[in-house]
Amino acid sequence: MSNKVLTVSVAAYNVAPFLTQCLDSLASCRRKDLLEVLIVDDGSTDETAKIARAYCEREPEVFRLIRKENGGWGSTLNASIPEARGTYFRQLDGDDLLNTETLDRYLECLEEESADFVLTPYETFVSGTEAFLLCESSKVPKAQGADIGLLPSGYSIPMHTCTFRTSLLQDEGVHLLEHCFYTDTEFVVKGIRQAETFSSYPEPLYRYRVARKGQSVSREGYRRHRQDLVRVAMELVRTFNKETFTNKEAAETRILEHLSVISGNLDVFSRAEFMDYEKELKSKAPAFYAAERSRAVLLLRRTGYLLWGPMVLLTGALRRREEGASC
């Protein structure tokens, strides 16, 4: 019987320049007897697998390497969830970190935990610095084994805050879209579907690297992968319409946040692309279509999308203002 209380799934695709720092943040903790690390090499063509293998050879009781053909972020979880032996499960990108000091205390807390999922705040940092900034929007509501219905109204659950009971994910058969970006929202929505209880831990655990060239949430990333934004949106509303949720409001809040990313980035779409998306959303999820709050989008609808140019400029200005005020 495994004594591991936490499985960390590391999504690793061509992250050789960052992977050592990532894995060191796990290897440096004291309570590795409670930790399992699954490094999922998603078809890397650099030194990612070589670096990962060194950790597996050095500490095989902690690190395991899963090699697979490239399938995208979601596919790394599809590969690791069935393999996880820890009581709890969380995800870590190969270019990010966990706070080692927090991890030790967190592992010991998880030994006594019984909730379906646990929330922790996260920090952001820029490569080459030791300045870790608490993301204010990730602060979690205080709870210990609380009913999921007690999540604060309007609280959107960020993926970086989530640790799920492994059996919940495995019994649910959670499976994410492959060859697709932005499936972190899908992971949260599908992960909480049948969750009944949650707890929170006050110390930040995840450390998210920002301002890295090529990130999918950059302006260029949104432009290159704009159809993935739509693909995930349709999968989210399909799941919401088809499945039952113990807390529909929590799922709805998370889905609406994803849809707001699309509405807030009109400039990455052509007018025709955005109109096609709107038509599909209205057809498949009229309630989500009606929940739109973007003034620019509502005005576009009222004018038959004739004001496309001015609304693109407006949403761009609003986005830049929000980015300047964000964590």
Side-chain angles (χ1 to χ4, degrees):
M1 180 179 294
S2 173
N3 64 339
K4 303 296 187 180
V5 301
L6 178 64
T7 295
V8 176
S9 174
V10 179
Y13 175 68
N14 287 349
V15 288
F18 310 102
L19 189 58
T20 297
Q21 187 183 15
C22 170
L23 298 181
D24 278 350
S25 74
L26 302 168
S28 299
C29 78
R30 293 180 296 100
R31 296 305 312 271
K32 282 181 288 186
D33 57 306
L34 303 177
L35 179 66
E36 173 185 57
V37 181
L38 301 180
I39 310 164
V40 186
D41 174 20
D42 190 32
S44 298
T45 57
D46 64 0
E47 297 293 301
T48 290
K50 180 180 178 181
I51 295 169
R53 194 176 293 111
Y55 285 82
C56 297
E57 292 173 353
R58 187 162 60 242
E59 297 186 271
E61 71 284 0
V62 178
F63 294 91
R64 281 197 285 154
L65 175 61
I66 299 175
R67 301 199 69 183
K68 55 182 288 300
E69 293 183 359
N70 181 258
W73 188 90
S75 76
T76 68
L77 291 172
N78 294 340
S80 60
I81 289 173
E83 293 290 323
R85 297 179 297 201
T87 306
Y88 285 91
F89 179 98
R90 73 161 302 127
Q91 191 276 340
L92 173 65
D93 286 347
D95 57 348
D96 292 336
L97 316 171
L98 292 188
N99 182 324
T100 305
E101 293 183 5
T102 299
L103 178 59
D104 273 318
R105 293 187 286 271
Y106 187 59
L107 287 167
E108 292 172 348
C109 285
L110 286 183
E111 283 189 286
E112 308 299 323
E113 187 55 70
S114 61
D116 287 331
F117 69 103
V118 184
L119 298 169
T120 56
Y122 70 89
E123 299 168 313
T124 62
F125 73 103
V126 177
S127 292
T129 75
E130 294 295 328
F132 299 102
L133 177 65
L134 176 66
C135 184
E136 293 294 327
S137 64
S138 76
K139 288 183 177 179
V140 296
K142 293 181 179 180
Q144 186 65 44
D147 188 290
I148 190 175
L150 297 178
L151 276 170
S153 178
Y155 176 70
S156 181
I157 305 171
M159 184 275 293
H160 295 130
T161 68
C162 291
T163 301
F164 291 103
R165 178 169 288 278
T166 304
S167 60
L168 185 75
L169 302 176
Q170 292 175 339
D171 293 347
E172 184 73 6
V174 169
H175 192 274
L176 307 181
L177 294 171
E178 301 200 356
H179 300 286
C180 186
F181 288 81
Y182 314 115
T183 49
D184 57 311
T185 300
E186 183 191 3
F187 181 45
V188 172
V189 170
K190 291 183 176 180
I192 67 171
R193 194 178 79 79
Q194 289 299 306
E196 296 181 351
T197 56
F198 76 100
S199 293
S200 62
Y201 184 79
E203 296 184 79
L205 178 62
Y206 199 106
R207 287 177 162 173
Y208 173 51
R209 190 185 304 268
V210 296
R212 181 171 74 82
K213 184 178 180 181
Q215 284 185 310
S216 61
V217 294
S218 66
R219 300 299 311 128
E220 185 54 35
Y222 281 141
R223 191 177 304 280
R224 286 201 312 270
H225 308 298
R226 60 190 182 279
Q227 293 307 321
D228 285 346
L229 284 170
V230 174
R231 185 182 174 197
V232 170
M234 293 306 120
E235 175 64 13
L236 291 172
V237 298
R238 183 202 67 79
T239 301
F240 189 84
N241 291 338
K242 178 182 176 182
E243 308 289 355
T244 58
F245 284 82
T246 53
N247 187 333
K248 293 193 72 171
E249 183 184 359
E252 184 178 38
T253 297
R254 194 67 184 88
I255 293 170
L256 285 171
E257 182 170 289
H258 179 84
L259 301 183
S260 73
V261 172
I262 297 176
S263 299
N265 289 277
L266 295 179
D267 56 328
V268 306
F269 296 93
S270 69
R271 179 173 176 269
E273 288 172 337
F274 189 76
M275 289 178 66
D276 286 343
Y277 156 71
E278 286 260 277
K279 181 179 179 180
E280 186 175 10
L281 182 64
K282 185 177 182 180
S283 171
K284 295 181 178 179
F288 282 104
Y289 176 86
E292 179 63 64
R293 293 294 177 266
S294 165
R295 288 178 293 176
V297 173
L298 294 175
L299 185 57
L300 282 172
R301 291 175 182 176
R302 287 197 296 269
T303 60
Y305 302 89
L306 293 177
L307 296 178
W308 178 255
M311 292 304 101
V312 164
L313 294 175
L314 173 62
T315 54
L318 291 173
R319 184 186 61 250
R320 287 188 293 274
R321 186 176 69 181
E322 290 172 358
E323 288 173 348
S326 71
C327 66

